[in-house]
PDB file of all heavy atoms in Angstrom:
ATOM      1  N   ARG A 311       9.752 -40.764  -0.099  1.00 97.00           N
ATOM      2  CA  ARG A 311       9.034 -41.687   0.804  1.00 97.00           C
ATOM      3  C   ARG A 311       9.054 -43.107   0.265  1.00 97.00           C
ATOM      4  O   ARG A 311       9.190 -44.070   1.009  1.00 97.00           O
ATOM      5  CB  ARG A 311       7.578 -41.234   0.980  1.00 97.00           C
ATOM      6  CG  ARG A 311       7.417 -40.229   2.101  1.00 97.00           C
ATOM      7  CD  ARG A 311       5.962 -40.002   2.431  1.00 97.00           C
ATOM      8  NE  ARG A 311       5.341 -41.108   3.177  1.00 97.00           N
ATOM      9  CZ  ARG A 311       4.088 -41.100   3.596  1.00 97.00           C
ATOM     10  NH1 ARG A 311       3.315 -40.053   3.344  1.00 97.00           N
ATOM     11  NH2 ARG A 311       3.588 -42.129   4.263  1.00 97.00           N
ATOM     12  N   VAL A 312       8.911 -43.248  -1.071  1.00 97.00           N
ATOM     13  CA  VAL A 312       8.924 -44.594  -1.668  1.00 97.00           C
ATOM     14  C   VAL A 312      10.301 -45.222  -1.465  1.00 97.00           C
ATOM     15  O   VAL A 312      10.423 -46.372  -1.019  1.00 97.00           O
ATOM     16  CB  VAL A 312       8.571 -44.542  -3.178  1.00 97.00           C
ATOM     17  CG1 VAL A 312       8.830 -45.880  -3.845  1.00 97.00           C
ATOM     18  CG2 VAL A 312       7.121 -44.122  -3.373  1.00 97.00           C
ATOM     19  N   VAL A 313      11.348 -44.446  -1.756  1.00 95.00           N
ATOM     20  CA  VAL A 313      12.710 -44.981  -1.636  1.00 95.00           C
ATOM     21  C   VAL A 313      13.002 -45.344  -0.175  1.00 95.00           C
ATOM     22  O   VAL A 313      13.572 -46.406   0.115  1.00 95.00           O
ATOM     23  CB  VAL A 313      13.738 -43.957  -2.187  1.00 95.00           C
ATOM     24  CG1 VAL A 313      15.160 -44.384  -1.864  1.00 95.00           C
ATOM     25  CG2 VAL A 313      13.569 -43.821  -3.703  1.00 95.00           C
ATOM     26  N   ALA A 314      12.570 -44.479   0.749  1.00 95.00           N
ATOM     27  CA  ALA A 314      12.805 -44.762   2.173  1.00 95.00           C
ATOM     28  C   ALA A 314      12.093 -46.056   2.578  1.00 95.00           C
ATOM     29  O   ALA A 314      12.644 -46.882   3.305  1.00 95.00           O
ATOM     30  CB  ALA A 314      12.318 -43.589   3.019  1.00 95.00           C
ATOM     31  N   GLU A 315      10.871 -46.229   2.077  1.00 95.00           N
ATOM     32  CA  GLU A 315      10.129 -47.444   2.441  1.00 95.00           C
ATOM     33  C   GLU A 315      10.805 -48.691   1.864  1.00 95.00           C
ATOM     34  O   GLU A 315      10.960 -49.709   2.550  1.00 95.00           O
ATOM     35  CB  GLU A 315       8.688 -47.342   1.941  1.00 95.00           C
ATOM     36  CG  GLU A 315       7.810 -48.464   2.458  1.00 95.00           C
ATOM     37  CD  GLU A 315       6.374 -48.351   1.973  1.00 95.00           C
ATOM     38  OE1 GLU A 315       6.136 -48.569   0.758  1.00 95.00           O
ATOM     39  OE2 GLU A 315       5.481 -48.063   2.782  1.00 95.00           O
ATOM     40  N   LEU A 316      11.242 -48.591   0.600  1.00 93.00           N
ATOM     41  CA  LEU A 316      11.912 -49.745  -0.032  1.00 93.00           C
ATOM     42  C   LEU A 316      13.210 -50.062   0.715  1.00 93.00           C
ATOM     43  O   LEU A 316      13.499 -51.221   1.013  1.00 93.00           O
ATOM     44  CB  LEU A 316      12.225 -49.440  -1.500  1.00 93.00           C
ATOM     45  CG  LEU A 316      11.023 -49.349  -2.447  1.00 93.00           C
ATOM     46  CD1 LEU A 316      11.455 -48.810  -3.812  1.00 93.00           C
ATOM     47  CD2 LEU A 316      10.360 -50.722  -2.612  1.00 93.00           C
ATOM     48  N   ASP A 317      13.987 -49.028   1.027  1.00 90.00           N
ATOM     49  CA  ASP A 317      15.249 -49.244   1.738  1.00 90.00           C
ATOM     50  C   ASP A 317      14.989 -49.841   3.117  1.00 90.00           C
ATOM     51  O   ASP A 317      15.694 -50.754   3.563  1.00 90.00           O
ATOM     52  CB  ASP A 317      16.009 -47.924   1.901  1.00 90.00           C
ATOM     53  CG  ASP A 317      16.638 -47.460   0.586  1.00 90.00           C
ATOM     54  OD1 ASP A 317      16.526 -48.198  -0.413  1.00 90.00           O
ATOM     55  OD2 ASP A 317      17.245 -46.372   0.579  1.00 90.00           O
ATOM     56  N   GLY A 318      13.975 -49.307   3.788  1.00 90.00           N
ATOM     57  CA  GLY A 318      13.681 -49.768   5.147  1.00 90.00           C
ATOM     58  C   GLY A 318      13.305 -51.238   5.165  1.00 90.00           C
ATOM     59  O   GLY A 318      13.667 -51.983   6.068  1.00 90.00           O
ATOM     60  N   ARG A 319      12.604 -51.670   4.154  1.00 88.00           N
ATOM     61  CA  ARG A 319      12.128 -53.058   4.121  1.00 88.00           C
ATOM     62  C   ARG A 319      13.174 -54.004   3.536  1.00 88.00           C
ATOM     63  O   ARG A 319      13.341 -55.128   3.991  1.00 88.00           O
ATOM     64  CB  ARG A 319      10.856 -53.096   3.268  1.00 88.00           C
ATOM     65  CG  ARG A 319      10.132 -54.394   3.238  1.00 88.00           C
ATOM     66  CD  ARG A 319       9.189 -54.527   4.434  1.00 88.00           C
ATOM     67  NE  ARG A 319       8.945 -55.917   4.737  1.00 88.00           N
ATOM     68  CZ  ARG A 319       8.357 -56.344   5.835  1.00 88.00           C
ATOM     69  NH1 ARG A 319       7.983 -55.479   6.752  1.00 88.00           N
ATOM     70  NH2 ARG A 319       8.152 -57.625   6.034  1.00 88.00           N
ATOM     71  N   LEU A 320      13.863 -53.534   2.514  1.00 85.00           N
ATOM     72  CA  LEU A 320      14.727 -54.438   1.743  1.00 85.00           C
ATOM     73  C   LEU A 320      16.210 -54.180   1.967  1.00 85.00           C
ATOM     74  O   LEU A 320      17.045 -54.889   1.419  1.00 85.00           O
ATOM     75  CB  LEU A 320      14.436 -54.279   0.244  1.00 85.00           C
ATOM     76  CG  LEU A 320      12.985 -54.480  -0.173  1.00 85.00           C
ATOM     77  CD1 LEU A 320      12.772 -54.077  -1.617  1.00 85.00           C
ATOM     78  CD2 LEU A 320      12.585 -55.930   0.018  1.00 85.00           C
ATOM     79  N   GLY A 321      16.544 -53.142   2.710  1.00 73.00           N
ATOM     80  CA  GLY A 321      17.951 -52.768   2.834  1.00 73.00           C
ATOM     81  C   GLY A 321      18.307 -51.849   1.689  1.00 73.00           C
ATOM     82  O   GLY A 321      17.729 -51.951   0.614  1.00 73.00           O
ATOM     83  N   PRO A 322      19.245 -50.915   1.938  1.00 62.00           N
ATOM     84  CA  PRO A 322      19.552 -49.937   0.899  1.00 62.00           C
ATOM     85  C   PRO A 322      20.314 -50.526  -0.267  1.00 62.00           C
ATOM     86  O   PRO A 322      21.116 -51.443  -0.079  1.00 62.00           O
ATOM     87  CB  PRO A 322      20.406 -48.901   1.628  1.00 62.00           C
ATOM     88  CG  PRO A 322      20.985 -49.644   2.786  1.00 62.00           C
ATOM     89  CD  PRO A 322      20.032 -50.726   3.150  1.00 62.00           C
ATOM     90  N   VAL A 323      20.067 -50.034  -1.405  1.00 61.00           N
ATOM     91  CA  VAL A 323      20.804 -50.286  -2.635  1.00 61.00           C
ATOM     92  C   VAL A 323      20.863 -51.772  -2.987  1.00 61.00           C
ATOM     93  O   VAL A 323      21.347 -52.596  -2.227  1.00 61.00           O
ATOM     94  CB  VAL A 323      22.230 -49.692  -2.596  1.00 61.00           C
ATOM     95  CG1 VAL A 323      22.860 -49.811  -3.971  1.00 61.00           C
ATOM     96  CG2 VAL A 323      22.185 -48.241  -2.173  1.00 61.00           C
ATOM     97  N   ALA A 327      21.758 -59.372   0.048  1.00 41.00           N
ATOM     98  CA  ALA A 327      21.055 -60.654   0.098  1.00 41.00           C
ATOM     99  C   ALA A 327      19.551 -60.441  -0.033  1.00 41.00           C
ATOM    100  O   ALA A 327      18.827 -61.284  -0.530  1.00 41.00           O
ATOM    101  CB  ALA A 327      21.379 -61.344   1.412  1.00 41.00           C
ATOM    102  N   SER A 328      19.084 -59.283   0.403  1.00 54.00           N
ATOM    103  CA  SER A 328      17.644 -58.999   0.373  1.00 54.00           C
ATOM    104  C   SER A 328      17.153 -58.677  -1.030  1.00 54.00           C
ATOM    105  O   SER A 328      16.034 -58.219  -1.210  1.00 54.00           O
ATOM    106  CB  SER A 328      17.351 -57.809   1.277  1.00 54.00           C
ATOM    107  OG  SER A 328      18.068 -56.687   0.801  1.00 54.00           O
ATOM    108  N   ASP A 329      18.022 -58.903  -2.019  1.00 67.00           N
ATOM    109  CA  ASP A 329      17.704 -58.490  -3.376  1.00 67.00           C
ATOM    110  C   ASP A 329      16.558 -59.291  -3.998  1.00 67.00           C
ATOM    111  O   ASP A 329      15.872 -58.815  -4.881  1.00 67.00           O
ATOM    112  CB  ASP A 329      18.961 -58.641  -4.227  1.00 67.00           C
ATOM    113  CG  ASP A 329      18.869 -57.788  -5.467  1.00 67.00           C
ATOM    114  OD1 ASP A 329      18.184 -56.754  -5.396  1.00 67.00           O
ATOM    115  OD2 ASP A 329      19.453 -58.165  -6.478  1.00 67.00           O
ATOM    116  N   ALA A 330      16.383 -60.533  -3.561  1.00 73.00           N
ATOM    117  CA  ALA A 330      15.354 -61.361  -4.193  1.00 73.00           C
ATOM    118  C   ALA A 330      13.979 -60.881  -3.761  1.00 73.00           C
ATOM    119  O   ALA A 330      13.646 -60.855  -2.583  1.00 73.00           O
ATOM    120  CB  ALA A 330      15.562 -62.814  -3.790  1.00 73.00           C
ATOM    121  N   LEU A 331      13.167 -60.492  -4.735  1.00 83.00           N
ATOM    122  CA  LEU A 331      11.849 -59.938  -4.427  1.00 83.00           C
ATOM    123  C   LEU A 331      10.797 -61.041  -4.459  1.00 83.00           C
ATOM    124  O   LEU A 331      10.942 -62.035  -5.162  1.00 83.00           O
ATOM    125  CB  LEU A 331      11.496 -58.858  -5.456  1.00 83.00           C
ATOM    126  CG  LEU A 331      12.493 -57.706  -5.580  1.00 83.00           C
ATOM    127  CD1 LEU A 331      12.062 -56.753  -6.686  1.00 83.00           C
ATOM    128  CD2 LEU A 331      12.621 -56.940  -4.271  1.00 83.00           C
ATOM    129  N   THR A 332       9.733 -60.834  -3.697  1.00 82.00           N
ATOM    130  CA  THR A 332       8.601 -61.760  -3.733  1.00 82.00           C
ATOM    131  C   THR A 332       7.325 -60.933  -3.848  1.00 82.00           C
ATOM    132  O   THR A 332       7.310 -59.779  -3.416  1.00 82.00           O
ATOM    133  CB  THR A 332       8.507 -62.597  -2.436  1.00 82.00           C
ATOM    134  OG1 THR A 332       8.280 -61.675  -1.353  1.00 82.00           O
ATOM    135  CG2 THR A 332       9.757 -63.403  -2.183  1.00 82.00           C
ATOM    136  N   GLU A 334       4.640 -61.188  -2.087  1.00 84.00           N
ATOM    137  CA  GLU A 334       4.085 -60.875  -0.753  1.00 84.00           C
ATOM    138  C   GLU A 334       4.717 -59.622  -0.169  1.00 84.00           C
ATOM    139  O   GLU A 334       4.110 -58.912   0.629  1.00 84.00           O
ATOM    140  CB  GLU A 334       4.325 -62.023   0.252  1.00 84.00           C
ATOM    141  CG  GLU A 334       3.685 -63.343  -0.095  1.00 84.00           C
ATOM    142  CD  GLU A 334       4.417 -64.048  -1.235  1.00 84.00           C
ATOM    143  OE1 GLU A 334       5.655 -64.064  -1.218  1.00 84.00           O
ATOM    144  OE2 GLU A 334       3.731 -64.548  -2.145  1.00 84.00           O
ATOM    145  N   MET A 335       5.986 -59.383  -0.581  1.00 85.00           N
ATOM    146  CA  MET A 335       6.719 -58.246  -0.054  1.00 85.00           C
ATOM    147  C   MET A 335       5.933 -56.934  -0.218  1.00 85.00           C
ATOM    148  O   MET A 335       5.990 -56.055   0.628  1.00 85.00           O
ATOM    149  CB  MET A 335       7.966 -58.146  -0.898  1.00 85.00           C
ATOM    150  CG  MET A 335       9.168 -57.685  -0.236  1.00 85.00           C
ATOM    151  SD  MET A 335      10.356 -57.698  -1.574  1.00 85.00           S
ATOM    152  CE  MET A 335       9.605 -56.519  -2.675  1.00 85.00           C
ATOM    153  N   PHE A 336       5.160 -56.850  -1.293  1.00 85.00           N
ATOM    154  CA  PHE A 336       4.472 -55.590  -1.563  1.00 85.00           C
ATOM    155  C   PHE A 336       3.303 -55.352  -0.599  1.00 85.00           C
ATOM    156  O   PHE A 336       2.837 -54.234  -0.454  1.00 85.00           O
ATOM    157  CB  PHE A 336       4.035 -55.524  -3.037  1.00 85.00           C
ATOM    158  CG  PHE A 336       5.239 -55.480  -3.938  1.00 85.00           C
ATOM    159  CD1 PHE A 336       5.715 -56.629  -4.552  1.00 85.00           C
ATOM    160  CD2 PHE A 336       5.943 -54.303  -4.111  1.00 85.00           C
ATOM    161  CE1 PHE A 336       6.855 -56.603  -5.334  1.00 85.00           C
ATOM    162  CE2 PHE A 336       7.091 -54.261  -4.885  1.00 85.00           C
ATOM    163  CZ  PHE A 336       7.556 -55.423  -5.501  1.00 85.00           C
ATOM    164  N   ASP A 337       2.878 -56.435   0.097  1.00 88.00           N
ATOM    165  CA  ASP A 337       1.849 -56.246   1.134  1.00 88.00           C
ATOM    166  C   ASP A 337       2.416 -55.429   2.287  1.00 88.00           C
ATOM    167  O   ASP A 337       1.675 -54.865   3.087  1.00 88.00           O
ATOM    168  CB  ASP A 337       1.371 -57.598   1.688  1.00 88.00           C
ATOM    169  CG  ASP A 337       0.690 -58.431   0.609  1.00 88.00           C
ATOM    170  OD1 ASP A 337       0.289 -57.839  -0.410  1.00 88.00           O
ATOM    171  OD2 ASP A 337       0.587 -59.652   0.792  1.00 88.00           O
ATOM    172  N   HIS A 338       3.747 -55.408   2.404  1.00 92.00           N
ATOM    173  CA  HIS A 338       4.370 -54.688   3.525  1.00 92.00           C
ATOM    174  C   HIS A 338       5.006 -53.381   3.062  1.00 92.00           C
ATOM    175  O   HIS A 338       5.864 -52.832   3.748  1.00 92.00           O
ATOM    176  CB  HIS A 338       5.419 -55.591   4.188  1.00 92.00           C
ATOM    177  CG  HIS A 338       4.841 -56.914   4.589  1.00 92.00           C
ATOM    178  ND1 HIS A 338       3.983 -57.060   5.648  1.00 92.00           N
ATOM    179  CD2 HIS A 338       4.949 -58.145   4.020  1.00 92.00           C
ATOM    180  CE1 HIS A 338       3.596 -58.315   5.731  1.00 92.00           C
ATOM    181  NE2 HIS A 338       4.166 -58.999   4.744  1.00 92.00           N
ATOM    182  N   LEU A 339       4.630 -52.934   1.895  1.00 95.00           N
ATOM    183  CA  LEU A 339       5.149 -51.668   1.364  1.00 95.00           C
ATOM    184  C   LEU A 339       3.955 -50.776   1.008  1.00 95.00           C
ATOM    185  O   LEU A 339       3.683 -50.502  -0.159  1.00 95.00           O
ATOM    186  CB  LEU A 339       5.998 -51.943   0.112  1.00 95.00           C
ATOM    187  CG  LEU A 339       7.290 -52.750   0.323  1.00 95.00           C
ATOM    188  CD1 LEU A 339       7.838 -53.245  -1.002  1.00 95.00           C
ATOM    189  CD2 LEU A 339       8.333 -51.904   1.043  1.00 95.00           C
ATOM    190  N   PRO A 340       3.191 -50.342   2.052  1.00 95.00           N
ATOM    191  CA  PRO A 340       1.909 -49.684   1.760  1.00 95.00           C
ATOM    192  C   PRO A 340       2.054 -48.393   0.965  1.00 95.00           C
ATOM    193  O   PRO A 340       1.237 -48.129   0.076  1.00 95.00           O
ATOM    194  CB  PRO A 340       1.314 -49.407   3.149  1.00 95.00           C
ATOM    195  CG  PRO A 340       2.448 -49.537   4.109  1.00 95.00           C
ATOM    196  CD  PRO A 340       3.430 -50.490   3.499  1.00 95.00           C
ATOM    197  N   THR A 342       4.448 -47.533  -1.167  1.00 97.00           N
ATOM    198  CA  THR A 342       4.827 -47.884  -2.547  1.00 97.00           C
ATOM    199  C   THR A 342       3.592 -48.416  -3.289  1.00 97.00           C
ATOM    200  O   THR A 342       3.332 -48.037  -4.440  1.00 97.00           O
ATOM    201  CB  THR A 342       5.946 -48.943  -2.538  1.00 97.00           C
ATOM    202  OG1 THR A 342       7.003 -48.448  -1.715  1.00 97.00           O
ATOM    203  CG2 THR A 342       6.461 -49.244  -3.920  1.00 97.00           C
ATOM    204  N   ALA A 444      10.751 -51.268  -7.708  1.00 94.00           N
ATOM    205  CA  ALA A 444      11.688 -51.534  -6.604  1.00 94.00           C
ATOM    206  C   ALA A 444      13.111 -51.681  -7.138  1.00 94.00           C
ATOM    207  O   ALA A 444      14.066 -51.153  -6.556  1.00 94.00           O
ATOM    208  CB  ALA A 444      11.263 -52.793  -5.851  1.00 94.00           C
ATOM    209  N   ARG A 448      15.968 -48.826  -6.263  1.00 92.00           N
ATOM    210  CA  ARG A 448      17.015 -49.239  -5.318  1.00 92.00           C
ATOM    211  C   ARG A 448      18.390 -49.245  -5.975  1.00 92.00           C
ATOM    212  O   ARG A 448      19.398 -49.383  -5.305  1.00 92.00           O
ATOM    213  CB  ARG A 448      16.686 -50.619  -4.741  1.00 92.00           C
ATOM    214  CG  ARG A 448      15.434 -50.578  -3.870  1.00 92.00           C
ATOM    215  CD  ARG A 448      15.033 -51.950  -3.418  1.00 92.00           C
ATOM    216  NE  ARG A 448      16.041 -52.527  -2.546  1.00 92.00           N
ATOM    217  CZ  ARG A 448      16.499 -53.762  -2.665  1.00 92.00           C
ATOM    218  NH1 ARG A 448      16.057 -54.538  -3.636  1.00 92.00           N
ATOM    219  NH2 ARG A 448      17.403 -54.216  -1.822  1.00 92.00           N
ATOM    220  N   LEU A 489      16.625 -41.123   3.063  1.00 34.00           N
ATOM    221  CA  LEU A 489      15.922 -41.447   4.303  1.00 34.00           C
ATOM    222  C   LEU A 489      15.710 -40.187   5.129  1.00 34.00           C
ATOM    223  O   LEU A 489      14.811 -40.013   5.847  1.00 34.00           O
ATOM    224  CB  LEU A 489      16.730 -42.474   5.117  1.00 34.00           C
ATOM    225  CG  LEU A 489      16.619 -43.903   4.581  1.00 34.00           C
ATOM    226  CD1 LEU A 489      17.701 -44.777   5.208  1.00 34.00           C
ATOM    227  CD2 LEU A 489      15.246 -44.490   4.839  1.00 34.00           C
TER     228      LEU A 489
END
Side-chain angles (χ1 to χ4, degrees):
R311 273 191 75 178
V312 170
V313 171
E315 189 179 70
L316 290 170
D317 286 357
R319 187 85 205 168
L320 305 171
V323 188
S328 60
D329 201 29
L331 303 177
T332 62
E334 298 74 43
M335 214 181 61
F336 294 98
D337 296 341
H338 306 287
L339 295 166
T342 307
R448 294 174 65 226
L489 283 166

